[in-house]
Amino acid sequence: MYDIAIIGKGPAGISAAINAFARNKNVIMFGGDSKKVLSSPSIPNYPGLPDIKGTELVEKLNFHLSQTNTSFSDKRVTAVYSMGDSFSIQAEQDMYEAKALILAVGVDFKKTIEGEDTFLGNGVSYCATCDAPLYKGKKVAVIGYNHESIEETNFLSEICSKVYYIPMHNEKYSFNSNVEVVLDKPIKFQGEMQAKQLVLQNSKIEADGFFVLKDSYPLSSLVPGLLTDGPHVVVNKYMETNCWRKPNSTI
Amino acid sequence: MYDIAIIGKGPAGISAAINAFARNKNVIMFGGDSKKVLSSPSIPNYPGLPDIKGTELVEKLNFHLSQTNTSFSDKRVTAVYSMGDSFSIQAEQDMYEAKALILAVGVDFKKTIEGEDTFLGNGVSYCATCDAPLYKGKKVAVIGYNHESIEETNFLSEICSKVYYIPMHNEKYSFNSNVEVVLDKPIKFQGEMQAKQLVLQNSKIEADGFFVLKDSYPLSSLVPGLLTDGPHVVVNKYMETNCWRKPNSTI
């Protein structure tokens, strides 16, 4: 059981880990280097380090982080469950326990596809590694927003009979022969209890399952029951969420 | 008219100035180097600058600040008035105008003396430079928490007939002959409409005026009408106070 689990390895997550270490806490951190920071040629507003390159700031932050006793997991967090006085963190196939959770995941301004949230767990999945076995020998579609979605699609193509791949990025890809690339824009998922059809701008795809693979997921699906306000988490003045708070505080 | 006035030159105030500059704002800043930071032999939790000396961090922050076009005033802010769509900032004898105000004054955990707030403006003053003329040829008492209060006491002794000085610090002082040092602990101010007496642990001082000279003042007296919660400012989720907010937001 860790004292604190931190999800996110950007400047906010690293700052949280450094402060937790100063307070002698036992911390596990999930996440990779911030792509947003890494890709910045010059950051003008990090006080004390004027006009620093993104790669150089990540290096400095990681060096500071390496001087703490933080544990790391490179597994992707797929869900967090509030257990009353602790949290269970599901990271791909592994489970972790922590007394407290710090969400430092940043804000994702990408829109979700219509029906993505309502069909999640019912034909729509965010995790190929977790849910591939459900679709053994069946037809699936992958809406891929990042590089990892290419590898995941090849992995799915070894298990499923057919995989449709809808690329939402500009990276190069090469697939096994049972993967069909569809260059079109996803509009919405359709179905009764279960998503059965993806409607795109110029076509439709029928499949048994749909994978939406992107860098980050809506917080309300990452932490079921978490009160959010658009892409933001609702907190009280102690930065506590509705999932956990001190006995006498309100939200 | 400045776009933004920032009160406080600690890390928070400097961060605000750097970000305001990046957004092309015209900024004036009040305050001196943070004594709290300067006096720290090693700061473990400033991300990216592990175990930095306080003096070194102040140097780095000030260097970054010097690359902005921030204006500075070394005058002490004595009051801020909300004018509806701007703020008037009184700094000793000077007035400044700004469209927005950022309070980065930190938290002062020192207790006020009983009656200090209720008699403020009625026999109790926070500013010798401002209010000395009211007590020409009269008797005053100074409760001095910092080095500046020593200079202010000598200044008052040139105008007033007699000055009592109650030191609340360990610095050395030397005074004109009409200054009487009282080594005792202030408990409360007394009087009818006006403070007339300072009750100390082992003595009492009768005077026409009382100066409480310290590094920082309760925010509610610095910004009349500002909603506070103990030493903290009450804000909404946009960090807006009750003195100014966007047309549709609440607090």
Side-chain angles (χ1 to χ4, degrees):
Chain A
M1 169 81 78
Y2 291 94
D3 292 319
I4 304 173
I6 299 172
I7 305 181
K9 200 176 163 242
I14 292 175
S15 177
I18 289 165
N19 280 285
F21 176 66
R23 282 160 184 74
N24 208 23
K25 299 297 181 193
N26 188 13
V27 172
I28 183 157
M29 176 176 259
F30 298 88
D33 293 339
S34 164
K35 284 181 190 159
K36 233 176 175 169
V37 178
L38 278 175
S39 64
S40 179
S42 173
I43 297 166
N45 64 339
Y46 194 90
L49 299 171
D51 289 321
I52 190 168
K53 272 176 73 172
T55 48
E56 212 182 311
L57 180 58
V58 167
E59 205 176 281
K60 278 185 189 288
L61 292 173
N62 282 344
F63 174 71
H64 201 161
L65 188 58
S66 74
Q67 300 192 313
T68 68
N69 65 349
T70 307
S71 302
F72 298 93
S73 166
D74 58 359
K75 300 265 165 75
R76 179 177 298 263
V77 176
T78 42
V80 176
Y81 303 99
S82 171
M83 313 298 283
D85 50 7
S86 71
F87 291 89
S88 279
I89 296 129
Q90 187 182 341
E92 297 174 21
Q93 306 300 63
D94 297 344
M95 291 297 280
Y96 299 84
E97 298 279 318
K99 288 184 210 156
L101 175 77
I102 295 177
L103 292 171
V105 295
V107 170
D108 186 6
F109 288 104
K110 280 197 288 296
K111 277 191 184 158
T112 55
I113 299 162
E114 192 185 321
E116 180 180 319
D117 47 350
T118 48
F119 285 119
L120 187 65
N122 292 301
V124 172
S125 167
Y126 285 151
C127 179
T129 314
C130 319
D131 296 335
L134 296 174
Y135 303 103
K136 200 171 171 173
K138 296 188 176 176
K139 242 195 296 187
V140 299
V142 174
I143 301 158
Y145 289 85
N146 56 17
H147 182 76
E148 288 75 21
S149 69
I150 300 167
E151 292 164 39
E152 297 288 76
T153 296
N154 269 327
F155 159 67
L156 284 165
S157 72
E158 287 162 16
I159 290 174
C160 307
S161 62
K162 164 130 199 170
V163 183
Y164 296 96
Y165 185 73
I166 301 109
M168 305 293 283
H169 56 77
N170 295 317
E171 301 202 35
K172 284 183 185 161
Y173 41 79
S174 102
F175 291 121
N176 299 331
S177 62
N178 62 337
V179 176
E180 182 182 336
V181 174
V182 180
L183 300 173
D184 202 350
K185 192 184 163 211
I187 306 291
K188 62 177 172 182
F189 293 103
Q190 285 187 159
E192 296 287 317
M193 300 297 285
Q194 192 87 7
K196 284 286 168 201
Q197 193 177 54
L198 173 64
V199 178
L200 301 106
Q201 202 147 37
N202 304 305
S203 57
K204 283 180 189 178
I205 295 174
E206 312 268 342
D208 300 297
F210 299 87
F211 290 91
V212 181
L213 303 181
K214 46 189 175 182
D215 286 334
S216 60
Y217 300 108
L219 276 169
S220 49
S221 65
L222 188 67
V223 188
L226 182 69
L227 207 59
T228 54
D229 179 3
H232 307 285
V233 180
V234 176
V235 292
N236 66 12
K237 64 181 171 179
Y238 303 109
M239 297 297 281
E240 296 166 346
T241 70
N242 68 318
C243 290
W244 192 85
R245 52 182 186 267
K246 286 182 207 129
N248 292 321
S249 66
T250 55
I251 187 160
Chain B
M1 171 80 79
Y2 291 93
D3 291 320
I4 304 173
I6 299 172
I7 305 182
K9 198 175 163 244
I14 291 175
S15 177
I18 289 165
N19 281 284
F21 176 67
R23 281 158 184 75
N24 208 21
K25 300 295 180 192
N26 187 12
V27 172
I28 183 157
M29 176 176 259
F30 298 88
D33 292 339
S34 163
K35 283 179 191 162
K36 234 177 176 170
V37 178
L38 279 175
S39 64
S40 179
S42 174
I43 297 166
N45 64 340
Y46 194 91
L49 299 171
D51 289 321
I52 190 167
K53 272 178 73 173
T55 47
E56 211 181 312
L57 179 58
V58 167
E59 205 175 282
K60 278 185 190 289
L61 292 174
N62 282 344
F63 174 71
H64 201 161
L65 189 58
S66 74
Q67 299 190 312
T68 68
N69 65 349
T70 307
S71 303
F72 297 94
S73 167
D74 58 359
K75 300 266 165 76
R76 180 177 297 265
V77 175
T78 43
V80 176
Y81 302 99
S82 170
M83 313 300 281
D85 50 8
S86 70
F87 291 89
S88 278
I89 297 131
Q90 187 183 341
E92 296 175 20
Q93 305 301 63
D94 298 343
M95 292 297 279
Y96 299 84
E97 300 278 320
K99 289 183 209 157
L101 176 76
I102 295 177
L103 293 170
V105 297
V107 171
D108 186 7
F109 288 102
K110 279 198 289 294
K111 276 192 185 156
T112 56
I113 299 162
E114 191 185 321
E116 180 181 319
D117 47 349
T118 48
F119 286 120
L120 188 65
N122 294 300
V124 171
S125 168
Y126 285 151
C127 179
T129 314
C130 319
D131 296 335
L134 296 173
Y135 302 104
K136 201 171 172 174
K138 296 187 177 176
K139 242 195 294 188
V140 299
V142 174
I143 300 157
Y145 289 85
N146 55 17
H147 183 77
E148 289 75 21
S149 71
I150 300 167
E151 292 165 37
E152 297 287 76
T153 296
N154 269 327
F155 158 68
L156 283 165
S157 72
E158 286 161 15
I159 289 173
C160 306
S161 60
K162 165 130 197 169
V163 183
Y164 296 96
Y165 185 73
I166 301 108
M168 305 294 282
H169 55 78
N170 295 318
E171 301 203 36
K172 284 184 183 160
Y173 42 79
S174 102
F175 291 122
N176 298 331
S177 63
N178 62 338
V179 176
E180 182 182 337
V181 174
V182 179
L183 300 173
D184 202 351
K185 193 185 162 212
I187 306 290
K188 61 177 172 182
F189 293 104
Q190 285 187 160
E192 296 286 317
M193 299 297 285
Q194 193 86 5
K196 284 287 170 201
Q197 195 178 52
L198 173 64
V199 178
L200 302 107
Q201 202 145 37
N202 304 306
S203 58
K204 282 179 188 177
I205 293 173
E206 311 266 342
D208 301 296
F210 300 88
F211 290 90
V212 181
L213 303 182
K214 47 188 175 183
D215 285 334
S216 61
Y217 299 108
L219 276 169
S220 50
S221 65
L222 187 68
V223 187
L226 181 70
L227 207 59
T228 55
D229 179 3
H232 307 286
V233 180
V234 175
V235 292
N236 66 12
K237 65 180 171 180
Y238 302 108
M239 295 298 281
E240 297 166 346
T241 70
N242 69 317
C243 290
W244 191 85
R245 52 182 185 265
K246 284 182 209 132
N248 292 324
S249 66
T250 55
I251 188 162

